[in-house]
Amino acid sequence: MNILHIDCSPRAESHSRKLSAAIVERLVGMSPGATIHRRDLGADPVPHASADYATALSSPATLANPPEGSLELSEALIQEVEAADVIVIGTPMNNLTVPSNFKAWIDRILRAGRTFKSTPAGKVGLIRDRPVFVGIASGAIFAGDRANQPDFLRPYLSAVLTSIGLKTLQFLPIQATAFLDHDQAIMAREKALAMIDFSVVGVAS
Ligand SMILES: Cc1cc2nc3c(=O)[nH]c(=O)nc-3n(C[C@H](O)[C@H](O)[C@H](O)COP(=O)(O)O)c2cc1C
């Protein structure tokens, strides 16, 4: 099993990092020969869409004949996704949605003619589906009866990942991190882990 492990928090001691690490640990426990590829967007952000990249994506003609080197990073990041059997993401909620370093990665992954095709009915994904586990840490509450803010993160991420073909998504929240002490944080992480349906993952190594 090849695991692509992505983290987005800029903090080393982070709720979403601990959750994504715990998910990866469970997966490795299920498949001891698993390999882990790291993409740490918190520690090592990918650049926001550059002029060359934006030019390449600006029309079918420029996509067919892009500025030299403009698609290299996009291609490398897409190949990391394609090489994975399972994708594990740890992300904070920032201003009701994904943090900008995660958005910069998304902007390199969604590429017409490569990861999706445009049709009159909308985008059609060109990537093979595989399970994606998304651990989300939020300072306040965005899901459930006690939600006190809108949630643009899960609907947004569902829309973009589904549009390239990644449809087997599970969202695991750790909420109200601003108010959790050490033990409560551990309990919140265990609760999120208990929500996971690992049956979507093949266990062959
Ligand atoms: C710029 C910024 C924006 C934030 N926006 C929100 C928000 O909209 N809703 C929320 O519940 N928490 C928000 N938070 C709090 C984080 O989601 C929270 O601290 C979370 O635990 C961070 O993830 P981490 O522990 O993995 O670093 C924000 C934090 C930062 C730094």
Side-chain angles (χ1 to χ4, degrees):
M1 180 197 296
N2 296 323
I3 303 168
L4 174 59
H5 181 189
I6 299 173
D7 272 315
C8 306
S9 176
R11 306 193 305 150
E13 279 295 304
S14 139
H15 295 281
S16 60
R17 278 181 187 278
K18 286 178 185 165
L19 178 54
S20 71
I23 297 170
V24 169
E25 194 180 304
R26 295 274 170 110
L27 290 169
V28 171
M30 291 163 52
S31 181
T35 60
I36 302 165
H37 185 81
R38 282 291 272 150
R39 174 55 66 179
D40 193 334
L41 301 171
D44 190 13
V46 300
H48 286 277
S50 58
D52 270 6
Y53 184 64
T55 298
L57 267 57
S58 62
S59 72
T62 50
L63 262 179
N65 189 17
E68 196 179 338
S70 59
L71 300 181
E72 275 176 15
L73 175 58
S74 167
E75 190 55 36
L77 296 173
I78 291 167
Q79 287 181 17
E80 289 179 358
V81 170
E82 290 178 325
D85 299 304
V86 185
I87 302 172
V88 179
I89 302 172
T91 182
M93 171 179 272
N94 275 11
N95 292 309
L96 314 180
T97 186
V98 296
S100 62
N101 52 10
F102 193 10
K103 177 62 163 52
W105 180 86
I106 291 167
D107 287 343
R108 300 279 175 171
I109 295 290
L110 269 74
R111 179 148 57 88
R114 179 63 177 86
T115 53
F116 71 88
K117 63 180 176 189
S118 290
T119 76
K123 293 182 172 72
V124 174
L126 298 176
I127 295 276
R128 174 177 59 78
D129 192 19
R130 67 264 285 157
V132 183
F133 300 106
V134 186
I136 305 167
S138 62
I141 302 176
F142 65 88
D145 294 344
R146 292 165 53 230
N148 56 7
Q149 61 187 332
D151 171 19
F152 296 106
L153 194 158
R154 290 180 299 174
Y156 168 70
L157 206 48
S158 295
V160 291
L161 294 180
T162 300
S163 75
I164 60 171
L166 301 176
K167 298 172 182 165
T168 305
L169 313 176
Q170 292 183 39
F171 294 103
L172 301 318
I174 295 182
Q175 304 189 79
T177 59
F179 309 101
L180 300 179
D181 65 23
H182 178 262
D183 290 350
Q184 289 169 326
I186 292 172
M187 280 168 54
R189 190 160 64 245
E190 289 301 322
K191 194 173 154 196
L193 285 169
M195 291 170 60
I196 298 177
D197 175 6
F198 282 111
S199 70
V200 295
V201 179
V203 290
S205 60

